[in-house]
Amino acid sequence: PRSAPPECDGDEANTASSGSLQEAYQRWRSRYSLATGAEAWADGLCSLQDAQLERFLDALLLLDLDHADGAVVALLRLHDLPNEYAMPLRFGDLLIAWSPQRDAGFLSLSHRATCNAQSVTALHRWCSLHAATAQFTLIRDAASSSQSVNAELEFNTVYRKLFQVSRIAPGRHKGGLPSSPPRSIQAMGGGRGSYHALL
């Protein structure tokens, strides 16, 4: 089984700035080889996960800004972190039933129908039937993009559940946790405690 990502020291590399996730991974992977040591590979995975975290938070921020008053179903693709150079990259899809006003009573009937359990389940079934989604899928019903611990869309929780990684351990890199979380996490209400890492 694959382990969860190690804690990173904040040295981020934007590996997914253009092209598909697979292409971005291949560009990142080209810096390594079968002869790469385990520690160097683990350090490299930090930059890869940092880029994925930024992309994830940016997508949630756009979702929050563009659909603050409505309801939509969004699909966000993530990738796992191969333990070794020779292991292939695996993809997973997060299906988000996004409805920030669901508890306030301000949603129209059409918006309520968009994110109800039957609609989301039917969409998920159709996507699976037509191979539109990845091997791993996770459905989350969310009204907030908060990155606080145990929030519905908190990155580490999503990553663990999506790729079935369960082990959490303290960080082992240079200075432990970064002194402050990334800007995207700060903008979404997550504090230093929400940027715990997986190992």
Side-chain angles (χ1 to χ4, degrees):
R2 300 185 185 213
S3 62
E7 179 177 340
C8 302
D9 60 8
D11 181 19
E12 300 179 7
N14 187 9
T15 59
S17 58
S18 62
S20 70
L21 289 181
Q22 183 67 47
E23 290 167 344
Y25 174 69
Q26 291 300 336
R27 287 195 299 272
W28 173 85
R29 188 174 180 264
S30 67
R31 294 180 262 172
Y32 304 92
S33 71
L34 285 171
T36 300
E39 187 172 346
W41 180 255
D43 287 343
L45 288 179
C46 280
S47 66
L48 186 65
Q49 190 72 331
D50 281 340
Q52 175 159 246
L53 173 62
E54 278 300 314
R55 186 176 59 82
F56 178 83
L57 295 175
D58 288 345
L60 292 187
L61 193 57
L62 283 174
L63 190 62
D64 210 358
L65 293 172
D66 290 348
H67 301 284
D69 299 321
V72 294
V73 178
L75 187 69
L76 180 58
R77 179 153 292 178
L78 300 174
H79 62 75
D80 73 340
L81 300 177
N83 283 342
E84 300 172 0
Y85 179 84
M87 294 178 72
L89 194 65
R90 299 184 305 175
F91 296 103
D93 287 327
L94 173 63
L95 195 65
I96 306 169
W98 175 256
S99 182
Q101 299 295 327
R102 69 181 181 199
D103 300 325
F106 300 137
L107 286 181
S108 66
L109 288 177
S110 63
H111 279 151
R112 288 182 189 278
T114 297
C115 285
N116 71 35
Q118 283 183 315
S119 298
V120 175
T121 300
L123 176 61
H124 180 230
R125 190 178 300 120
W126 186 91
C127 288
S128 298
L129 181 65
H130 294 280
T133 47
Q135 176 185 1
F136 300 94
T137 56
L138 176 67
I139 299 174
R140 302 297 264 185
D141 183 24
S144 167
S145 56
S146 168
Q147 291 297 295
S148 60
V149 177
N150 296 325
E152 284 295 315
L153 297 179
E154 192 265 330
F155 179 76
N156 290 328
T157 301
V158 166
Y159 185 94
R160 286 198 312 270
K161 289 182 181 260
L162 184 58
F163 294 109
Q164 301 166 13
V165 178
S166 60
R167 192 164 59 102
I168 302 176
R172 60 179 178 78
H173 283 259
K174 298 174 185 172
L177 287 172
S179 58
S180 61
R183 285 176 287 114
S184 298
I185 289 182
Q186 292 175 8
M188 298 170 73
R192 187 172 187 268
S194 69
Y195 192 56
H196 61 279
L198 306 175
L199 180 62

